[in-house]
Short mmCIF file of all heavy atoms in Angstrom, two decimals:
data_model
loop_
_atom_site.label_atom_id
_atom_site.label_comp_id
_atom_site.label_asym_id
_atom_site.label_seq_id
_atom_site.Cartn_x
_atom_site.Cartn_y
_atom_site.Cartn_z
N TRP A 331 0.53 -11.90 -17.85
CA TRP A 331 0.13 -13.07 -17.28
C TRP A 331 -0.87 -13.70 -18.08
O TRP A 331 -1.91 -13.40 -18.48
CB TRP A 331 -0.62 -12.64 -15.84
CG TRP A 331 -1.41 -13.60 -15.11
CD1 TRP A 331 -1.35 -15.03 -15.05
CD2 TRP A 331 -2.51 -13.35 -14.25
NE1 TRP A 331 -2.24 -15.55 -14.29
CE2 TRP A 331 -3.12 -14.55 -13.69
CE3 TRP A 331 -3.09 -12.16 -13.76
CZ2 TRP A 331 -4.09 -14.62 -12.70
CZ3 TRP A 331 -4.19 -12.24 -12.92
CH2 TRP A 331 -4.69 -13.38 -12.31
N TYR A 332 -0.51 -15.09 -18.45
CA TYR A 332 -1.28 -15.64 -19.54
C TYR A 332 -1.81 -16.96 -18.95
O TYR A 332 -1.29 -17.61 -18.03
CB TYR A 332 -0.42 -15.92 -20.73
CG TYR A 332 0.57 -17.10 -20.73
CD1 TYR A 332 0.35 -18.27 -21.42
CD2 TYR A 332 1.65 -16.98 -20.03
CE1 TYR A 332 1.26 -19.32 -21.42
CE2 TYR A 332 2.58 -18.00 -20.01
CZ TYR A 332 2.28 -19.32 -20.54
OH TYR A 332 3.18 -20.33 -20.60
N ALA A 333 -2.96 -17.39 -19.70
CA ALA A 333 -3.71 -18.54 -19.21
C ALA A 333 -3.53 -19.72 -20.27
O ALA A 333 -3.72 -19.41 -21.42
CB ALA A 333 -5.18 -18.24 -19.04
N HIS A 334 -3.24 -20.84 -19.81
CA HIS A 334 -3.13 -22.01 -20.69
C HIS A 334 -3.20 -23.19 -19.75
O HIS A 334 -2.24 -23.45 -18.99
CB HIS A 334 -1.87 -22.11 -21.49
CG HIS A 334 -1.76 -23.28 -22.43
ND1 HIS A 334 -0.60 -23.89 -22.89
CD2 HIS A 334 -2.82 -24.03 -22.84
CE1 HIS A 334 -0.94 -24.91 -23.61
NE2 HIS A 334 -2.33 -25.13 -23.66
N TYR A 335 -4.42 -23.90 -19.74
CA TYR A 335 -4.75 -24.90 -18.78
C TYR A 335 -4.06 -26.30 -19.20
O TYR A 335 -4.80 -27.10 -19.73
CB TYR A 335 -6.11 -25.07 -18.59
CG TYR A 335 -6.86 -23.82 -17.94
CD1 TYR A 335 -8.14 -23.56 -17.88
CD2 TYR A 335 -6.04 -22.85 -17.27
CE1 TYR A 335 -8.69 -22.46 -17.40
CE2 TYR A 335 -6.57 -21.70 -16.75
CZ TYR A 335 -8.02 -21.59 -16.76
OH TYR A 335 -8.57 -20.48 -16.17
N ASP A 336 -2.87 -26.48 -19.17
CA ASP A 336 -2.10 -27.56 -19.52
C ASP A 336 -1.50 -28.36 -18.18
O ASP A 336 -0.87 -29.27 -18.48
CB ASP A 336 -1.12 -27.33 -20.61
CG ASP A 336 0.19 -26.40 -19.98
OD1 ASP A 336 -0.01 -25.87 -18.89
OD2 ASP A 336 1.02 -26.33 -20.65
N SER A 337 -1.89 -27.85 -17.07
CA SER A 337 -1.34 -28.49 -15.82
C SER A 337 0.09 -28.58 -15.83
O SER A 337 0.69 -29.41 -15.12
CB SER A 337 -2.11 -29.87 -15.61
OG SER A 337 -3.44 -29.86 -15.51
N ASN A 338 0.86 -27.66 -16.51
CA ASN A 338 2.29 -27.71 -16.61
C ASN A 338 2.87 -26.31 -16.03
O ASN A 338 2.84 -25.40 -16.93
CB ASN A 338 2.68 -27.89 -18.08
CG ASN A 338 4.18 -27.89 -18.19
OD1 ASN A 338 4.83 -28.08 -17.33
ND2 ASN A 338 4.66 -27.72 -19.50
N PRO A 339 3.31 -26.31 -14.90
CA PRO A 339 3.91 -24.92 -14.46
C PRO A 339 5.30 -24.61 -15.16
O PRO A 339 6.39 -24.86 -14.46
CB PRO A 339 3.97 -25.19 -12.95
CG PRO A 339 4.17 -26.68 -12.80
CD PRO A 339 3.38 -27.26 -13.92
N SER A 340 5.23 -24.26 -16.35
CA SER A 340 6.38 -23.85 -17.02
C SER A 340 5.92 -22.86 -18.23
O SER A 340 4.77 -22.92 -18.61
CB SER A 340 7.18 -25.03 -17.46
OG SER A 340 6.68 -25.53 -18.84
N PHE A 341 6.93 -22.11 -18.88
CA PHE A 341 6.53 -21.35 -20.00
C PHE A 341 7.01 -22.01 -21.19
O PHE A 341 7.07 -21.42 -22.31
CB PHE A 341 7.37 -20.08 -19.95
CG PHE A 341 7.08 -19.23 -18.75
CD1 PHE A 341 7.96 -18.28 -18.31
CD2 PHE A 341 5.86 -19.20 -18.24
CE1 PHE A 341 7.70 -17.30 -17.30
CE2 PHE A 341 5.42 -18.30 -17.27
CZ PHE A 341 6.36 -17.36 -16.73
N SER A 342 7.11 -23.40 -21.23
CA SER A 342 7.55 -24.05 -22.38
C SER A 342 6.53 -23.99 -23.48
O SER A 342 6.88 -24.37 -24.73
CB SER A 342 8.00 -25.53 -22.07
OG SER A 342 6.75 -26.22 -21.52
N ASP A 343 5.20 -23.83 -23.24
CA ASP A 343 4.25 -23.78 -24.15
C ASP A 343 3.99 -22.45 -24.79
O ASP A 343 3.23 -22.35 -25.80
CB ASP A 343 2.87 -24.29 -23.45
CG ASP A 343 2.55 -23.33 -22.33
OD1 ASP A 343 3.40 -23.01 -21.39
OD2 ASP A 343 1.50 -22.62 -22.32
N PHE A 344 4.60 -21.43 -24.25
CA PHE A 344 4.28 -20.01 -24.71
C PHE A 344 4.50 -19.74 -26.08
O PHE A 344 5.69 -20.09 -26.62
CB PHE A 344 5.03 -18.99 -23.80
CG PHE A 344 4.77 -17.62 -24.08
CD1 PHE A 344 3.46 -17.10 -23.82
CD2 PHE A 344 5.66 -16.77 -24.85
CE1 PHE A 344 3.15 -15.84 -24.19
CE2 PHE A 344 5.29 -15.45 -25.15
CZ PHE A 344 4.08 -15.04 -24.83
N GLU A 345 3.59 -19.14 -26.78
CA GLU A 345 3.63 -18.73 -28.16
C GLU A 345 3.57 -17.22 -28.18
O GLU A 345 2.72 -16.69 -27.55
CB GLU A 345 2.60 -19.37 -29.05
CG GLU A 345 2.66 -20.91 -29.22
CD GLU A 345 1.57 -21.43 -30.01
OE1 GLU A 345 0.71 -20.62 -30.60
OE2 GLU A 345 1.44 -22.59 -30.17
N THR A 346 4.47 -16.59 -28.93
CA THR A 346 4.45 -15.05 -28.94
C THR A 346 3.05 -14.54 -29.56
O THR A 346 2.56 -15.20 -30.42
CB THR A 346 5.60 -14.54 -29.73
OG1 THR A 346 5.47 -15.00 -31.02
CG2 THR A 346 6.99 -14.93 -29.19
N PHE A 347 2.59 -13.43 -29.00
CA PHE A 347 1.47 -12.80 -29.62
C PHE A 347 1.40 -11.45 -29.02
O PHE A 347 1.97 -11.08 -27.95
CB PHE A 347 0.18 -13.61 -29.20
CG PHE A 347 -0.27 -13.54 -27.67
CD1 PHE A 347 -1.08 -12.61 -27.23
CD2 PHE A 347 0.32 -14.46 -26.92
CE1 PHE A 347 -1.52 -12.57 -25.93
CE2 PHE A 347 -0.03 -14.45 -25.51
CZ PHE A 347 -0.95 -13.47 -25.04
N GLY A 348 0.67 -10.46 -29.65
CA GLY A 348 0.43 -9.19 -29.25
C GLY A 348 1.74 -8.38 -28.90
O GLY A 348 1.67 -7.36 -28.05
N GLY A 349 2.80 -8.71 -29.44
CA GLY A 349 3.93 -8.05 -29.22
C GLY A 349 4.84 -8.61 -28.04
O GLY A 349 5.99 -8.23 -27.77
N TRP A 350 4.18 -9.38 -27.29
CA TRP A 350 4.92 -10.08 -26.15
C TRP A 350 5.82 -11.22 -26.63
O TRP A 350 5.40 -12.10 -27.39
CB TRP A 350 3.91 -10.79 -25.06
CG TRP A 350 3.20 -9.73 -24.29
CD1 TRP A 350 3.77 -8.85 -23.28
CD2 TRP A 350 2.02 -9.30 -24.39
NE1 TRP A 350 2.84 -8.19 -22.52
CE2 TRP A 350 1.61 -8.42 -23.28
CE3 TRP A 350 0.71 -9.66 -25.10
CZ2 TRP A 350 0.40 -7.78 -23.05
CZ3 TRP A 350 -0.54 -9.21 -24.94
CH2 TRP A 350 -0.76 -8.15 -23.83
N THR A 351 7.04 -11.36 -26.14
CA THR A 351 7.92 -12.32 -26.54
C THR A 351 8.26 -13.34 -25.28
O THR A 351 8.74 -14.21 -25.63
CB THR A 351 9.31 -11.77 -27.10
OG1 THR A 351 9.82 -10.81 -26.11
CG2 THR A 351 9.03 -11.00 -28.31
N SER A 352 7.83 -12.86 -24.21
CA SER A 352 8.03 -13.73 -23.03
C SER A 352 6.90 -13.25 -22.02
O SER A 352 6.60 -12.10 -21.89
CB SER A 352 9.39 -13.51 -22.49
OG SER A 352 9.66 -12.16 -22.03
N PRO A 353 6.44 -14.22 -21.19
CA PRO A 353 5.44 -13.82 -20.13
C PRO A 353 6.19 -13.77 -18.82
O PRO A 353 7.36 -14.00 -18.69
CB PRO A 353 4.64 -15.19 -20.07
CG PRO A 353 5.63 -16.24 -20.43
CD PRO A 353 6.69 -15.65 -21.41
N SER A 354 5.39 -13.26 -17.83
CA SER A 354 5.83 -13.13 -16.42
C SER A 354 5.08 -14.15 -15.44
O SER A 354 5.75 -14.53 -14.40
CB SER A 354 5.52 -11.72 -15.99
OG SER A 354 6.31 -10.66 -16.64
N ILE A 355 3.86 -14.43 -15.64
CA ILE A 355 3.12 -15.45 -14.91
C ILE A 355 2.29 -16.25 -15.83
O ILE A 355 1.86 -15.87 -16.80
CB ILE A 355 2.25 -14.69 -13.83
CG1 ILE A 355 2.97 -13.74 -13.02
CG2 ILE A 355 1.45 -15.71 -12.99
CD1 ILE A 355 2.05 -13.00 -12.07
N LYS A 356 2.15 -17.46 -15.50
CA LYS A 356 1.25 -18.43 -16.16
C LYS A 356 0.16 -18.90 -15.16
O LYS A 356 0.35 -19.39 -14.07
CB LYS A 356 2.00 -19.60 -16.69
CG LYS A 356 1.23 -20.62 -17.30
CD LYS A 356 1.96 -21.81 -17.98
CE LYS A 356 1.21 -22.89 -18.61
NZ LYS A 356 2.02 -23.92 -19.11
N GLN A 357 -1.10 -18.92 -15.74
CA GLN A 357 -2.15 -19.57 -15.06
C GLN A 357 -2.40 -20.90 -15.81
O GLN A 357 -2.83 -21.02 -16.82
CB GLN A 357 -3.54 -18.77 -15.15
CG GLN A 357 -4.70 -19.24 -14.47
CD GLN A 357 -5.98 -18.42 -14.76
OE1 GLN A 357 -6.38 -18.49 -15.90
NE2 GLN A 357 -6.49 -17.76 -13.86
N TYR A 358 -1.84 -21.96 -15.05
CA TYR A 358 -1.67 -23.24 -15.75
C TYR A 358 -2.85 -24.24 -15.47
O TYR A 358 -2.95 -25.25 -16.04
CB TYR A 358 -0.39 -23.85 -15.44
CG TYR A 358 -0.08 -24.31 -14.06
CD1 TYR A 358 -0.51 -25.49 -13.56
CD2 TYR A 358 0.45 -23.32 -13.22
CE1 TYR A 358 -0.21 -25.86 -12.23
CE2 TYR A 358 0.64 -23.66 -11.87
CZ TYR A 358 0.33 -25.07 -11.40
OH TYR A 358 0.55 -25.41 -10.14
N GLN A 359 -3.76 -23.95 -14.57
CA GLN A 359 -4.83 -24.80 -14.24
C GLN A 359 -6.04 -24.04 -13.67
O GLN A 359 -5.85 -23.17 -12.96
CB GLN A 359 -4.49 -25.82 -13.12
CG GLN A 359 -5.38 -26.75 -12.80
CD GLN A 359 -4.90 -27.90 -11.85
OE1 GLN A 359 -3.73 -27.81 -11.37
NE2 GLN A 359 -5.70 -28.91 -11.49
N GLY A 360 -7.16 -24.30 -14.16
CA GLY A 360 -8.43 -23.70 -13.77
C GLY A 360 -8.86 -24.09 -12.46
O GLY A 360 -8.12 -24.82 -11.73
N THR A 361 -10.10 -23.78 -12.08
CA THR A 361 -10.65 -24.13 -10.77
C THR A 361 -10.40 -25.49 -10.35
O THR A 361 -10.88 -26.41 -10.93
CB THR A 361 -12.06 -23.67 -10.63
OG1 THR A 361 -12.20 -22.35 -11.04
CG2 THR A 361 -12.65 -23.89 -9.29
N HIS A 362 -9.75 -25.72 -9.16
CA HIS A 362 -9.50 -26.95 -8.60
C HIS A 362 -9.52 -26.80 -7.05
O HIS A 362 -9.30 -25.66 -6.71
CB HIS A 362 -8.23 -27.67 -9.09
CG HIS A 362 -6.99 -26.89 -8.76
ND1 HIS A 362 -6.61 -25.61 -9.20
CD2 HIS A 362 -5.97 -27.31 -8.01
CE1 HIS A 362 -5.54 -25.27 -8.69
NE2 HIS A 362 -5.09 -26.21 -7.99
N THR A 363 -9.49 -27.82 -6.38
CA THR A 363 -9.63 -27.63 -4.86
C THR A 363 -8.13 -27.61 -4.31
O THR A 363 -7.30 -28.45 -4.44
CB THR A 363 -10.21 -28.79 -4.28
OG1 THR A 363 -11.64 -28.97 -4.85
CG2 THR A 363 -10.48 -28.63 -2.87
N VAL A 364 -7.97 -26.53 -3.61
CA VAL A 364 -6.70 -26.30 -2.70
C VAL A 364 -7.20 -25.76 -1.41
O VAL A 364 -8.03 -24.79 -1.37
CB VAL A 364 -5.88 -25.25 -3.43
CG1 VAL A 364 -4.64 -25.01 -2.55
CG2 VAL A 364 -5.46 -25.71 -4.88
N CYS A 365 -6.80 -26.34 -0.45
CA CYS A 365 -7.21 -26.00 0.94
C CYS A 365 -8.71 -25.86 1.10
O CYS A 365 -9.28 -24.98 1.71
CB CYS A 365 -6.66 -24.62 1.40
SG CYS A 365 -4.74 -24.79 1.47
N ASP A 366 -9.47 -27.09 0.48
CA ASP A 366 -10.82 -27.10 0.44
C ASP A 366 -11.64 -25.89 -0.20
O ASP A 366 -12.70 -25.52 0.22
CB ASP A 366 -11.36 -27.31 1.93
CG ASP A 366 -10.89 -28.49 2.59
OD1 ASP A 366 -10.89 -29.53 1.98
OD2 ASP A 366 -10.44 -28.42 3.89
N THR A 367 -10.88 -25.27 -1.16
CA THR A 367 -11.40 -24.07 -1.70
C THR A 367 -11.07 -24.15 -3.28
O THR A 367 -10.03 -24.59 -3.65
CB THR A 367 -10.70 -22.69 -1.27
OG1 THR A 367 -10.91 -22.76 0.20
CG2 THR A 367 -11.40 -21.46 -1.80
N GLY A 368 -12.07 -23.72 -4.03
CA GLY A 368 -11.80 -23.73 -5.52
C GLY A 368 -11.02 -22.55 -5.94
O GLY A 368 -11.53 -21.36 -5.82
N LEU A 369 -9.90 -22.80 -6.40
CA LEU A 369 -8.85 -21.71 -6.85
C LEU A 369 -8.27 -22.04 -8.24
O LEU A 369 -8.13 -23.32 -8.59
CB LEU A 369 -7.82 -21.58 -5.81
CG LEU A 369 -8.36 -21.08 -4.41
CD1 LEU A 369 -7.11 -21.33 -3.35
CD2 LEU A 369 -8.86 -19.77 -4.36
N ASP A 370 -7.73 -21.09 -8.91
CA ASP A 370 -6.90 -21.29 -10.11
C ASP A 370 -5.52 -21.41 -9.70
O ASP A 370 -5.03 -20.69 -8.78
CB ASP A 370 -7.15 -20.23 -11.10
CG ASP A 370 -8.60 -20.06 -11.62
OD1 ASP A 370 -9.21 -21.12 -11.73
OD2 ASP A 370 -9.03 -19.04 -12.02
#
Side-chain angles (χ1 to χ4, degrees):
W331 168 25
Y332 78 107
H334 183 205
Y335 297 162
D336 61 354
S337 300
N338 179 19
S340 81
F341 292 156
S342 61
D343 61 303
F344 181 72
E345 298 179 0
T346 60
F347 70 94
W350 285 290
T351 57
S352 62
S354 295
I355 303 177
K356 178 181 179 180
Q357 184 187 68
Y358 66 90
Q359 188 173 358
T361 303
H362 66 297
T363 301
V364 181
C365 294
D366 297 322
T367 306
L369 301 168
D370 297 335

